[in-house]
Amino acid sequence: MITITQAQLVRGSKTLLDETSLTVYPGHKVGLVGANGSGKSSLLALIMGKISLDKGDFSMPSGWQIATVAQETPALEVSAIEYVIDGDTEYRELETQLHAAQDADDGHNIALLHGKIDAIGGYAIHSRAASLLAGLGFSEQEQSNPVKSFSGGWRMRLNLAQALLCRSDLLLLDEPTNHLDLDTMYWLEGWIKAYQGTLILISHDRDFIDGIVDEIVHVENTKLNYYKGNYTSFERVRAERMAQQQVAFERQQKERAHMQSFVDRFRYKASKAKQAQSRLKALERMTELLPSQADSPFHMAFREPEALPNPLVTMEQVSIGYGETEILKKVHLNLVPGARIGLLGRNGAGKSTLVKLLSGELSPMKGKYETNPGLNIGYFAQHQLEFLSLDDSPLQHLVRLAPNAREQELRNFLGGYGFNGDMALAPVRPFSGGEKARLVLALLVWQRPNLLLLDEPTNHLDLEMRHALTMALQTFEGAMIIVSHDRHLLRLSCSDYYLVDQGEVNSFEGDLDDYHQWLLDAAKAAGKVEEDPDASKPVQDKKLQKRLEAELRQKLSPLKKVQTKLEKEQQKANDRLKELEEMLADTSLYDADNKAKLTQVLAERTTLTQGLEESEMEWLEIQEEIENIEQSVRAEVL
């Protein structure tokens, strides 16, 4: 197990941990949460041995293998699948040794190395790597493409595949869902659930955390605070503690009233669609949990649009694509104020293509496409972070949009997005991805759009900012279209879903659970169910498997010995019963002179029959116990 005792960790002038302790037990799945800069990533660095405690003790099993996601991917010529396999350094070393032994024609060493490769699952490594890449969205053809041909986001997926491929006792994941789409998120969640080792997960996606972890460690005020349960459970407990302390009570009550008002307005629509019911339940849960957000540093609210023309956009039989290549066809979609649409669809289906048409980055290839003269678009996409002026401050960015506004008004506005004090005047260049994303959102909100286009808006945003964005979207009066892998945001913000699939855009009747089932059904119908159902599962170390098998034999040995003894006794009893039946078949036994012998034979048969029945019952009970033990150990091996 991992043990941290009375730890102090100082980075620069900031104390991240002070006099705090934590124990993580083998096989447990732990979610690590806390504000940006609280020390979550530093804690992972400590576990990886990259840094040391300034005070206190840290220990973990010396033989544990740690898997983590590399943060950089060089532009290599090697293929994607070979790059992923490169992550298993032990396999690559054995492979190199085997080639050398073959060149030297060393038969003994060749046999020895083949055994070692088999012991670590090396002969299935290519199929496992291909399965992982397929799960992460790489087509069979793309798996053979060189690493350098992929964009930054797709290279991060390759690094994730490397980490998942490796045999490990401890898996450390820091924001693994960044750059993933919704269907890949579902796949990754399933993979991690099946992982048998110890997991420490940092994520800002609350639904993802909820579906995986059973323990939360909250880094707050230099302490590692342990909570049993998933993120929702943690938030509830923390909310209760904060309510008891009357933390930010007035603001808390105001936000509760705001949420209840929205729920009341939305409730009458709840019978119209299944996703509406799902959203209503989520809103009610959010209202219950809201106090835990009372200390959030973010205060985001959309300004009222200057105009709300109706319709905002009209599309009839529209085709969209790039050059001569048609991606979407016969799209019929009218956007009116109040439309709250979530776009669903597999990677590459065309969701971002539709958003780019609406944003003006693409023009329709054919069909009727009309926009209202009063349309004012607010478009958020990850590539827009690249257009920030890196040497300018957040305040300078906002002044360009509002040259006549008072500076204090602009600074107050920026403060709601976490740009307080000197940070509002600091150059953007050293800002983190999350800070740049917050600034782009602030600039978007200031412009009072009546059509919001949000393409993965929560990438790099922490839980508090995601909460602030979700709250703000509740009161947005215009139309919105959202593409996101954040299921919590989609559930709370969208009243309608549209499915982008096979070049078409159609209304999706159902909620996100139905969409997950649709993905599974579509994969099955397309024949994408793996021939080897275990190929994409986390690999179990052969040594661990052999140890479990040895333990199984040890547990079963005394039981099987008893069974063997019972079987011999049963055979002996059956043989004697056969002899007695033959004696009873002899009619002379029933003569008056043989009355005593007949009585003796009948009594022995009765005794043997009763004893045989009891022996068989005992054997069946032992067999049931054996099967239960085998099932339990089999679950560990899988």
Side-chain angles (χ1 to χ4, degrees), residues 346-362:
R346 289 168 291 195
N347 181 61
K351 302 185 296 295
S352 293
T353 300
L354 177 59
V355 172
K356 287 178 180 179
L357 170 71
L358 291 166
S359 71
E361 289 188 9
L362 289 177

Side-chain angles (χ1 to χ4, degrees), residues 395-570:
L395 183 60
Q396 287 173 309
H397 280 83
L398 196 55
V399 166
R400 281 196 289 271
L401 295 178
N404 298 322
R406 293 183 301 108
E407 179 178 330
Q408 190 58 50
E409 179 186 1
L410 300 181
R411 295 192 66 162
N412 289 342
F413 177 79
L414 289 170
Y417 295 82
F419 301 107
N420 297 295
D422 293 340
M423 195 173 184
L425 306 176
V428 170
R429 186 177 300 277
F431 284 8
S432 67
E435 289 164 343
K436 290 176 181 176
R438 295 205 312 262
L439 178 55
V440 170
L441 279 172
L443 299 177
L444 179 155
V445 170
W446 181 267
Q447 297 174 70
R448 303 171 68 177
N450 49 32
L451 172 60
L452 274 181
L453 305 174
L454 304 178
D455 193 350
E456 296 294 355
T458 60
N459 273 358
H460 306 296
L461 297 183
D462 60 20
L463 283 160
E464 286 79 9
M465 188 60 199
R466 291 185 185 208
H467 171 80
L469 173 61
T470 304
M471 288 288 296
L473 290 173
Q474 308 307 317
T475 56
F476 180 68
E477 298 180 6
M480 70 174 74
I481 289 186
I482 302 176
V483 177
S484 178
H485 64 255
D486 190 321
R487 288 163 286 177
H488 189 69
L489 175 72
L490 289 173
R491 285 193 182 98
L492 295 183
S493 303
C494 301
S495 55
D496 296 288
Y497 295 115
Y498 277 74
L499 178 63
V500 182
D501 185 55
Q502 297 184 353
E504 297 182 354
V505 181
N506 296 303
S507 177
F508 183 78
E509 298 299 328
D511 59 11
L512 292 178
D513 293 332
D514 294 315
Y515 174 63
H516 186 201
Q517 187 60 50
W518 179 88
L519 286 170
L520 297 174
D521 293 342
K524 185 176 180 180
K528 292 183 179 179
V529 177
E530 300 161 359
E531 293 182 7
D532 179 2
D534 295 325
S536 66
K537 290 183 179 179
V539 66
Q540 180 68 56
D541 193 316
K542 283 290 185 72
K543 292 181 181 178
L544 174 59
Q545 183 173 348
K546 289 180 179 179
R547 178 178 64 78
L548 292 173
E549 289 172 351
E551 291 178 359
L552 174 62
R553 289 193 296 271
Q554 186 177 3
K555 290 178 180 179
L556 297 185
S557 178
L559 296 173
K560 291 194 172 183
K561 284 181 180 178
V562 174
Q563 271 193 326
T564 300
K565 181 181 178 181
L566 290 171
E567 288 167 359
K568 289 179 179 179
E569 292 174 350
Q570 291 165 15

Side-chain angles (χ1 to χ4, degrees), residues 258-392:
H258 161 70
M259 276 298 302
Q260 188 60 52
S261 173
F262 186 83
V263 170
D264 291 342
R265 295 208 321 272
F266 184 73
R267 188 181 299 275
Y268 76 95
K269 297 181 180 179
S271 61
K272 291 187 177 181
K274 186 174 180 180
Q275 65 263 34
Q277 291 281 3
S278 174
R279 183 166 177 244
L280 181 56
K281 291 177 183 177
L283 282 168
E284 290 171 343
R285 185 180 69 174
M286 187 176 180
T287 305
E288 175 189 355
L289 301 177
L290 193 58
S292 69
Q293 301 290 344
D295 61 346
S296 172
F298 307 116
H299 308 273
M300 180 179 179
F302 281 92
R303 309 168 81 206
E304 183 181 354
E306 293 181 349
L308 285 171
N310 190 359
L312 293 164
V313 178
T314 301
M315 303 171 63
E316 295 180 7
Q317 302 294 309
V318 171
S319 294
I320 319 164
Y322 303 90
E324 300 297 323
T325 304
E326 187 179 64
I327 304 297
L328 299 175
K329 58 187 177 183
K330 298 181 180 180
V331 178
H332 179 85
L333 182 64
N334 293 327
L335 296 179
V336 300
R340 315 173 71 83
I341 296 172
L343 290 185
L344 306 177
R346 289 168 291 195
N347 181 61
K351 302 185 296 295
S352 293
T353 300
L354 177 59
V355 172
K356 287 178 180 179
L357 170 71
L358 291 166
S359 71
E361 289 188 9
L362 289 177
S363 299
M365 299 174 71
K366 56 184 176 182
K368 179 184 177 182
Y369 182 78
E370 295 180 351
T371 60
N372 194 292
L375 178 66
N376 181 16
I377 296 173
Y379 178 35
F380 179 94
Q382 290 301 307
H383 69 267
Q384 290 183 312
L385 275 62
E386 301 170 4
F387 297 108
L388 291 172
S389 300
L390 299 182
D391 294 324
D392 290 344

